[in-house]
């Protein structure tokens, strides 16, 4: 997938949030690493020891074949990361994982496992798509089918159609789950996180962070109207 909007308004801001707490000698876990591209970039940019974890053996195999700067990979089985002890991480990033979760219980289980991995006071940086940003054609995605689910707003965990642009310019529709970003603070609080901060990155803010070639590649018209991504940072309570 092209993921241009993510690389403009998402991942650079995740890396910036992590850079205040992560550097050489730190351990950063990428929870839901997928094919490993973001983990690889984080390792090269931050200099941290990055550990990728995922529920999919196929994704981990793909990541191992291409994410050369990532230190190691682990499988998530029955909700627990295999091979990683309690309080082993100086930070965790978790990008677009919530979209794959259909229930509040599943979201809480992920947050609880991330809290297990974090040292006291260490940050979780979470990137998510705002399900309210429907009806706009972003550079690499379209959220929903034109505004709202039948009958009103998307319910938490409700099915949400997402169109993603491929690198060849074609589009693929996937089925995600809607998690309003306004719900995240309360869910994180229940899992022993505090000091929460949320930001909605803008195109103007991205000009000094994102790859200049990417910035020039699109006009970012919809991203300027309503930025669709939210970065949430919360610290594991001591």
């Amino acid at each position: 997938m092209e993921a241009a909007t993510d690389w403009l308004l998402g991942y650079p801001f995740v890396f910036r949030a992590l850079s205040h707490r992560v550097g050489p000698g730190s351990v950063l876990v990428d929870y839901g690493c997928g094919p490993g591209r973001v983990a690889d970039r984080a390792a090269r940019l931050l200099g941290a020891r990055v550990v990728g974890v995922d529920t999919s053996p196929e994704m981990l195999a793909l990541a191992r074949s291409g994410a050369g700067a990532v230190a190691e990979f682990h499988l998530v089985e029955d909700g627990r990361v295999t091979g990683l002890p309690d309080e082993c991480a100086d930070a965790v990033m978790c990008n677009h994982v919530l979209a794959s979760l259909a229930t509040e219980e599943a979201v809480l289980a992920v947050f609880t496992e991330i809290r297990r991995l974090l040292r006291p006071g260490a940050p979780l940086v979470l990137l998510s798509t705002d399900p309210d940003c429907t009806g706009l054609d972003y550079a690499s995605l379209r959220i929903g089918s034109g505004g709202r689910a039948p009958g009103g707003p998307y319910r938490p965990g409700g099915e949400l159609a997402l169109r993603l642009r491929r690198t060849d310019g074609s589009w693929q529709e996937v089925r995600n789950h809607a998690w309003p970003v306004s719900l995240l603070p309360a869910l994180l609080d229940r899992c022993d996180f505090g000091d929460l901060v949320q930001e909605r990155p803008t195109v103007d803010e991205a000009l000094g962070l994102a790859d200049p070639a990417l910035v020039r590649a699109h006009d970012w018209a919809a991203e300027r109207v309503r930025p669709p991504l939210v970065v949430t940072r919360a610290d594991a309570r001591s």
Side-chain angles (χ1 to χ4, degrees):
M1 297 300 172
E2 180 182 299
T5 300
D6 284 314
W7 284 104
L8 182 82
L9 298 180
Y11 303 132
F13 293 88
V14 171
F15 300 152
R16 184 178 71 176
L18 290 167
S19 69
H20 299 299
R21 308 282 285 277
V22 171
S26 300
V27 175
L28 168 64
V29 171
D30 184 1
Y31 192 100
C33 66
R37 185 182 176 194
V38 180
D40 186 69
R41 181 72 66 87
R44 297 177 190 278
L45 182 66
L46 300 173
R49 179 179 176 83
V50 176
V51 178
V53 309
D54 205 279
T55 60
S56 167
E58 293 78 14
M59 280 295 179
L60 290 178
L62 183 61
R64 288 188 182 99
S65 70
V70 180
E72 59 189 82
F73 295 94
H74 295 266
L75 182 66
V76 181
E77 291 186 300
D78 299 322
R80 189 176 179 91
V81 180
T82 59
L84 290 184
D86 295 357
E87 299 183 4
C88 64
D90 298 295
V92 172
M93 65 176 175
C94 183
N95 301 306
H96 295 308
V97 169
L98 300 189
S100 67
L101 306 176
T103 67
E104 183 176 294
E105 290 73 17
V107 174
L108 292 172
V110 167
F111 288 164
T112 298
E113 176 62 1
I114 290 173
R115 176 62 187 86
R116 179 186 75 81
L117 298 173
L118 284 169
R119 308 187 204 283
L124 161 64
V125 180
L126 181 73
L127 178 64
S128 52
T129 302
D130 185 349
D132 283 340
C133 290
T134 57
L136 292 172
D137 289 321
Y138 294 102
S140 61
L141 77 157
R142 184 182 178 94
I143 303 163
S145 56
R148 295 292 185 182
Y154 291 105
R155 63 175 179 81
E159 191 173 271
L160 171 68
L162 200 70
R163 292 181 68 224
L164 303 175
R165 186 188 294 273
R166 294 178 175 271
T167 54
D168 65 4
S170 64
W171 291 85
Q172 177 178 339
E173 184 169 303
V174 298
R175 294 291 169 175
N176 279 4
H177 298 279
W179 288 102
V181 293
S182 60
L183 293 182
L184 300 183
L187 296 176
L188 286 162
D189 178 71
R190 289 171 61 181
C191 297
D192 207 22
F193 286 92
D195 297 325
L196 183 140
V197 177
Q198 287 185 309
E199 65 172 328
R200 188 184 298 271
T202 67
V203 174
D204 287 343
E205 291 172 315
L207 297 180
L209 290 177
D211 180 353
L214 174 66
V215 172
R216 294 191 297 269
H218 301 277
D219 61 11
W220 311 110
E223 284 82 357
R224 293 179 190 277
V225 171
R226 182 162 173 76
L229 303 179
V230 175
V231 177
T232 301
R233 197 207 75 217
D235 294 341
R237 291 196 182 100
S238 302

